[in-house]
Amino acid sequence: MGFDISYHPISEEQINTWYFEVIANPEKIEALASDHQIDDFYKTKYQDTINAGRETDQNDYFDKTHGFFIAVVQGFFETYFYVRGGALSFSENKQLDSYYKKWEEFIPIGSLTKKVQNRLVENYCSGVYISADQVVRLLDDYHHNLEIKSELDQLFSDGRISIFLKALNFAKERGLGLLEATEVVEPQPLDLNESKSYSNLFNCDKEGPLLYQTTAFEQIKNIEQRNGLPENEILQNVKVEKVHVEPASTTTGTEKTNEVIQKKGFWKRLFG
């Protein structure tokens, strides 16, 4: 099973304002949606996410509930970045730990659950959080510390480092931190029109899904060549199936239908 990783530029203040304050006062969604020009479709998804957050139990993993929902909520407000399979949480290099800020360091204790990992533990989960000052430091170290550069280049190989650096620079320019998550957005590389997101798909930076698609096509072409198959033989016969279970949905059947209609043809409209 692979991981669809995303990076979400968001400050500690925004985490509180957009998520925890709304958990306590759901009526604030109306003003936030109006101030940030969030349309009704995504305002409803925002409300659904908050409702799910309000049902979080003290015995749940924070990372698989509040942490994941915070990443989803960020995508209703601002750009986020997709990187297939590359995550800071996957690194065993302890030097990278100095860049991360734990949820326990800035989330009120009453909002925490009993289990907090501060890393990806499985699909549909938040990962590490880099505060705004450490975003600046990590970027600087990437350019001046050979060990850090080597580790990041390895984690985000095959061209993915440019996307991760793009996310860091986006956060730096706006004075934001950066939150890692998985399965907020799930691109379908063989047909990007079939991609989906628990957040706003339009706010996903397009470079990551396009790189994923290019890589997938190249891998298929190499398989065909190694096995002496006609060109596009695999693509013509491939059957795409979801192999992991989605978290419980809070949307109604009508809302799901509207979501499909809203998303249909998104990538075609976006990329031309």
Side-chain angles (χ1 to χ4, degrees), residues 135 139 143 162 164-174:
V135 164
L139 264 173
H143 295 294
S162 66
F164 180 66
L165 293 176
K166 188 177 183 180
L168 284 174
N169 277 297
F170 185 97
K172 176 185 176 180
E173 291 167 3
R174 292 158 178 78

Side-chain angles (χ1 to χ4, degrees), residues 16 23 34 52 58 67 99 107 146 148 154 181 193 221 224 228 235 265:
N16 185 55
I23 288 282
S34 176
Q58 276 295 302
Y99 300 100
I107 298 298
L146 290 179
I148 295 299
Q154 182 176 348
N193 278 330
K221 184 177 180 179
E224 290 173 338
L235 285 177

Side-chain angles (χ1 to χ4, degrees), residues 2 9 15 66 83 117 134 165 195 211 217 235 238 245 247 264:
I15 288 172
H66 292 313
V83 182
Q117 293 294 312
Q134 296 303 316
L165 293 176
S195 303
L211 177 61
F217 285 164
L235 285 177
V238 71
V245 178
K264 187 172 179 61

